[in-house]
Amino acid sequence: MMRTRPLKVALLGCGVVGSEVARIMTTHADDLAARIGAPVELAGVAVRRPDKVREGIPADLVTTDATALVKRGDIDVVVEVIGGIEPARTLITAAFEHGASVVSANKALLAQDGAALHAAAEANDRDLYYEAAVAGAIPLIRPLRESLAGDKVNRVLGIVNGTTNFILDKMDSTGAGYQEALDEATALGYAEADPTADVEGFDAAAKAAILAGIAFHTRVRLDDVYREGMTEITAADFVSAKEMGCTIKLLAICERAEDGGSVTARVHPAMIPLTHPLASVRGAYNAVFVESDAAGQLMFYGPGAGGSPTASAVLGDLVAVCRNRLSGATGPGESAYAALPVSSMGEVATRYHISLDVADKPGVLAQVATVFAEHGVSIDTVRQQGKDGEASLVVVTHRASDAALGGTVEALRKLDTVRGVASIMRVEGE
């Protein structure tokens, strides 16, 4: 039997995502009510610019006083899509304290202060859901938090930023340089006017922190995530990748150590074999590859950003939270019981692709190989091309720690026969 009194929803932010959430709540109102067991009512919309025309949203619902809205006391669920750290953190905390559950898409805040927000939700017996914070429309948080709750997740490897994937895919498929591909992404609306958060890996790092925390039942903050951007990748790097049967992706990688005693979380460009499922992810799409003991290998794929896809994830959370309100229950909260240490990047072992500019003369390869051996870095393959006294030497290593590789490169730079280190890139997806 359906309850007649509606559940009241406060919406914080009415931009690309917020306006789409409001539209779906209105146009799908009957379906949402049937799925939840009660009507949902948009009770207020907090915005910064009240004079802007917002189609389909009654003017009397619009307010600039977000604090008063979340403190009303009759609000059942607050949907936060304004982003950033403040005032979002204060508003979400106030919502919990005044009896509302929260649905958020705020990856930056959750990566930085997720533990405190979960604690506030638990203290007030309320829900904190955030499916939309990591991969847009792709169901990922709930499968990790619920469907795989009885399994042991060992690795999460993914493309979690559509802007960077579009740029790298364009460089791969057309031979374009980085700036040319970025300009096209900007013209098509895939990249912001200031793309720093995307291309320098900040966006992906926040998502990696959230994924690692859930996957490994350990608190992982943004500061724990190693981050490396992709602005130095060149068309020549893609040529080298193709010669190895690889392509290049900006990856978020969360791993449990082989002995199970620690975890790592990192974001950086990497070469991956064309045979790996992530290699075929094109354009602005996202995909996440999950490896666990019992389930084996799973892949989640779809649009990772945009108004409609992100609103889909928000509405999914809204339905779940509203159902919990009706039943007097709460969903899964933070699970950090494992409390595993987070290792630094210097302790992480990966394969490396190193391109060196060297003198084209006898003995160079032997000198280079000796340096690798002295630093305990094993060489997998070597390729050398030379002309007119200059040569390019490409070395692909077996797995080695970041610290060992750093010492190797420093020693290589001191060789008279090494003119320079053209590029260094990790190789993933073995």
Side-chain angles (χ1 to χ4, degrees):
M1 182 175 178
M2 183 177 293
R3 192 182 81 166
T4 56
R5 185 178 72 79
L7 292 160
K8 294 188 176 183
V9 178
L11 179 60
L12 307 183
C14 199
V16 173
V17 176
S19 59
E20 191 65 9
V21 169
R23 184 192 69 79
I24 295 174
M25 285 184 64
T26 302
T27 58
H28 295 182
D30 291 343
D31 285 338
L32 290 173
R35 295 166 190 173
I36 292 169
V40 286
E41 174 188 312
L42 189 59
V45 182
V47 300
R48 286 183 296 180
R49 293 177 293 172
D51 54 335
K52 181 179 178 180
V53 177
R54 293 175 173 85
E55 187 177 346
I57 299 178
D60 61 343
L61 293 184
V62 177
T63 178
T64 57
D65 194 345
T67 301
L69 178 59
V70 301
K71 289 183 176 181
R72 273 176 37 175
D74 65 333
I75 299 297
D76 294 289
V77 184
V78 169
V79 174
E80 183 271 310
V81 288
I82 56 179
I85 305 301
E86 289 292 357
R89 174 170 49 197
T90 299
L91 292 171
I92 289 174
T93 302
F96 290 138
E97 293 171 347
H98 288 78
S101 290
V102 173
V103 173
S104 176
N106 196 331
K107 55 186 170 288
L109 178 58
L110 288 160
Q112 179 171 307
D113 288 316
L117 295 180
H118 275 293
E122 183 177 359
N124 293 280
D125 198 26
R126 290 295 178 259
D127 278 323
L128 173 61
Y129 276 48
Y130 43 92
E131 185 68 69
V134 172
I138 304 172
L140 186 58
I141 298 298
R142 194 171 285 112
L144 284 173
R145 195 158 69 165
E146 299 179 30
S147 303
L148 295 174
D151 205 344
K152 179 184 177 184
V153 176
N154 296 310
R155 196 174 197 229
V156 180
L157 172 74
I159 298 164
V160 294
N161 183 279
T163 299
T164 56
N165 199 58
F166 178 89
I167 293 170
L168 293 174
D169 183 40
K170 186 61 61 173
M171 293 176 71
D172 184 30
S173 60
T174 69
Y178 167 77
Q179 190 60 51
E180 182 183 352
L182 172 60
D183 290 344
E184 182 172 350
T186 304
L188 292 172
Y190 291 124
E192 302 287 345
D194 180 0
T196 302
D198 295 323
V199 300
E200 293 294 351
F202 290 101
D203 175 84
K207 296 171 180 178
I210 296 170
L211 289 173
I214 296 171
F216 306 133
H217 305 278
T218 292
R219 287 178 179 169
V220 179
R221 289 171 51 88
L222 182 58
D223 292 345
D224 295 321
V225 182
Y226 172 83
R227 178 195 56 78
E228 184 181 320
M230 49 166 273
T231 58
E232 300 301 317
I233 296 175
T234 66
D237 290 325
F238 276 97
V239 172
S240 293
K242 287 180 179 179
E243 290 174 348
M244 288 180 57
C246 293
T247 188
I248 300 172
K249 300 290 186 183
L250 184 73
L251 298 177
I253 305 168
C254 312
E255 291 181 311
R256 188 189 300 269
E258 289 185 8
D259 63 5
S262 64
V263 298
T264 58
R266 49 197 167 97
V267 169
H268 54 70
M271 293 182 179
I272 59 172
L274 294 175
T275 53
H276 193 283
L278 291 178
S280 62
V281 178
R282 311 300 297 271
Y285 275 71
N286 285 189
V288 178
F289 203 69
V290 178
E291 300 175 11
S292 68
D293 275 0
Q297 297 179 331
L298 306 170
M299 183 162 155
F300 301 84
Y301 169 83
S308 293
T310 305
S312 170
V314 170
L315 267 295
D317 279 351
L318 178 63
V319 168
V321 169
C322 285
R323 286 172 175 169
N324 290 343
R325 294 283 288 192
L326 289 180
S327 65
T330 55
E334 182 188 34
S335 175
Y337 74 89
L340 296 170
V342 182
S343 298
S344 68
M345 190 62 193
E347 302 172 69
V348 176
T350 62
R351 296 176 66 206
Y352 289 88
H353 176 283
I354 304 105
S355 180
L356 305 172
D357 294 327
V358 299
D360 185 16
K361 62 182 184 180
V364 174
L365 180 55
Q367 286 184 318
V368 169
T370 298
V371 169
F372 276 88
E374 288 174 346
H375 289 80
V377 179
S378 175
I379 294 176
D380 183 17
T381 62
V382 177
R383 186 175 68 254
Q384 184 173 3
Q385 294 177 325
K387 185 178 180 180
D388 299 330
E390 298 296 327
S392 173
L393 188 65
V394 175
V395 178
V396 179
T397 74
H398 289 290
R399 292 176 68 86
S401 72
D402 194 66
L405 196 283
T408 304
V409 171
E410 184 177 349
L412 287 171
R413 294 182 192 277
K414 295 177 181 179
L415 293 178
D416 291 339
T417 52
V418 174
R419 311 296 192 216
V421 180
S423 69
I424 303 172
M425 192 170 299
R426 295 172 181 87
V427 181
E428 298 285 347
E430 299 172 73

